[in-house]
Amino acid sequence: MTSSAQPDNSLPLDMIIFGGMGDLAMRKLLPALYMAHLHGNLPAATRIISTGRQDFNREAYLAFVEEHSRSFISEGNFADDAWRSFLQRLEFVRVDVQQDDLSSLAKVSREGAVRVFYLSTAPSLFTTICEKLSAAGLVDANARVVLEKPLGSDLASAVDINEAVGKHFAESQIYRIDHYLGKETVQNLMVLRFGNSILEPLWRAPNISSVQITVAEEVGVGSRAGFYDGTGAMRDMVQNHLLQLLCIVAMEPPASLAPDAVRDEKLKVLRSLRRFNLATIARDTVRGQYVRGASGNQAVPGYLEEKNVPPDSGTETFVALRTYVDTWRWSKVPFYLRTGKRMERRSSKIVVEFANPPFPLFPESTDGVANRLVIELQPEEAIKLQVMAKQPGSGMHMQQVALNLDLHSAFTQRRAEAYERLLIDVVRGRLTHFMRRDELEAAWEWADPIIEGWGTLNEKPRGYAAGTWGPSESFALLARDGFSWFE
């Protein structure tokens, strides 16, 4: 294993992307690196080296980038001169990681450069790639490796990946990426919680009655069906994205913003999550699978009609569940998590619902939630505090109004996309917004019994029409506690 010394950010940078011809590289990574280049956030001596099995020379590779990546850069951010200078940073090395050693890559990578290895490949290749990088002498004290999800399909496979990568990279060199942690509003949640004294005294039971976290997607599985059918919504979204959002909502104030201080507090949350058994799985979780319906005013097929999906598949495309964080701060406060594909619209948000006043002083008003903090992550980024105000006119009728923080209006400077922000963090050696090994494994320890319990119960996912908010059972999950999903 290499040294865990702090990286030297004054050195030239070689960003080496395995799977560099793939969909993620073209849609997200190269556009994000272009934006970092455009705004001067890459070291001057930076090169971006993509690897793939294609028999391309550099000219053919650049033509491929022009065709498949350039369109993912908005017109407002595209500049011909910047694009041409960005292309000068790009190289291509033909490598079949399953068959070849990495001597060809070693010849291209510069001696003494900081090497960032971005593994945008199937997790089954992580072990092989790391072994071959080490054998080729490409791993040193300044090297960093970025691991794309999914990191395993269960705890055992996640441990195997971590062990294999850890033989060649120190923990301080490993960046387990979750792009939700790069979203501006998610990072702003830390400031909202710990930079404002007005919220901290209220951020606990019994002042908070419930927390909802929703990540809804309007799209279906599309071209990812082959991967998705062996994964499902629990592994693809809940075990990583939604749990990370839950951790930021529920964590205690860290001693500092040092990476391990923040990640220590998130780990405590994961270890405090109430574990499920067969009875609570049957009562407090809902699995769904979309059937034929309408999305965007167009008829769309059901999941079982999608290409490369087995006709008898039991894979869930929707999950809703109720869980608890068993700590003093959150005692008896339910956390409701929900995610799904082919839902009514694309929407990611966190809703913190505060308790109603203990005595109804205004009897003319209808019953309802007095206050909610709504943190919208996508498609728009905003923070809204819903409070009660008197309606104009006679009487004391109340109406809910919103105090809005529109982040786009409040801050006029450009807002980086999640991948751009996280890639800059990797370049600068910042680990705060990346998962540590024990975090990942604690998340799997919580998720595994749910997945195994579904297998034991052997119940098919509940059907829900594409273009809706999911199975009716997910609404009943909240209704029995006196709550409803916030739409």
Side-chain angles (χ1 to χ4, degrees), residues 379-436:
E380 302 298 329
E381 295 185 332
I383 298 171
K384 303 176 182 178
L385 178 61
Q386 296 181 339
V387 299
M388 303 305 291
K390 178 187 175 297
Q391 291 183 8
S394 62
M396 294 297 288
H397 295 281
M398 292 194 301
Q399 180 176 328
Q400 198 172 67
V401 297
L403 306 178
N404 290 352
L405 171 58
D406 183 336
L407 298 177
H408 290 279
S409 299
F411 303 102
T412 57
Q413 61 265 46
R414 186 187 70 91
R415 301 159 61 78
E417 294 293 331
Y419 269 103
E420 179 188 350
R421 190 176 290 111
L422 291 174
L423 284 168
I424 292 171
D425 281 350
V426 175
V427 169
R428 296 178 179 174
R430 300 169 178 167
L431 279 157
T432 302
H433 301 297
F434 297 85
M435 292 180 69
R436 199 169 60 192

Side-chain angles (χ1 to χ4, degrees), residues 273-337:
L273 278 175
R274 187 176 297 179
R275 273 26 180 185
F276 283 79
N277 55 39
L278 281 179
T280 55
I281 290 169
R283 185 189 68 202
D284 292 340
T285 72
V286 178
R287 298 171 72 224
Q289 186 183 88
Y290 65 84
V291 298
R292 187 178 303 184
S295 179
N297 296 320
Q298 292 186 336
V300 293
Y303 179 72
L304 298 181
E305 300 167 301
E306 300 277 15
K307 186 178 180 181
N308 296 324
V309 173
D312 59 347
S313 173
T315 297
E316 77 281 355
T317 63
F318 174 97
V319 172
L321 59 85
R322 178 181 67 174
T323 190
Y324 292 88
V325 179
D326 287 330
T327 63
W328 281 22
R329 179 185 290 268
W330 297 108
S331 177
K332 300 180 182 179
V333 177
F335 283 73
Y336 300 102
L337 310 185

Side-chain angles (χ1 to χ4, degrees), residues 425-485:
D425 281 350
V426 175
V427 169
R428 296 178 179 174
R430 300 169 178 167
L431 279 157
T432 302
H433 301 297
F434 297 85
M435 292 180 69
R436 199 169 60 192
R437 172 178 177 166
D438 48 6
E439 273 188 88
L440 172 70
E441 294 177 2
W444 277 120
E445 285 175 2
W446 177 82
D448 270 2
I450 302 173
I451 298 169
E452 292 165 5
W454 287 337
T456 301
L457 293 171
N458 197 29
E459 294 179 354
K460 291 184 177 180
R462 309 288 183 178
Y464 64 97
T468 67
W469 284 111
S472 59
E473 289 82 359
S474 74
F475 297 92
L477 179 68
L478 276 69
R480 66 172 182 248
D481 294 336
F483 301 113
S484 59
W485 290 111

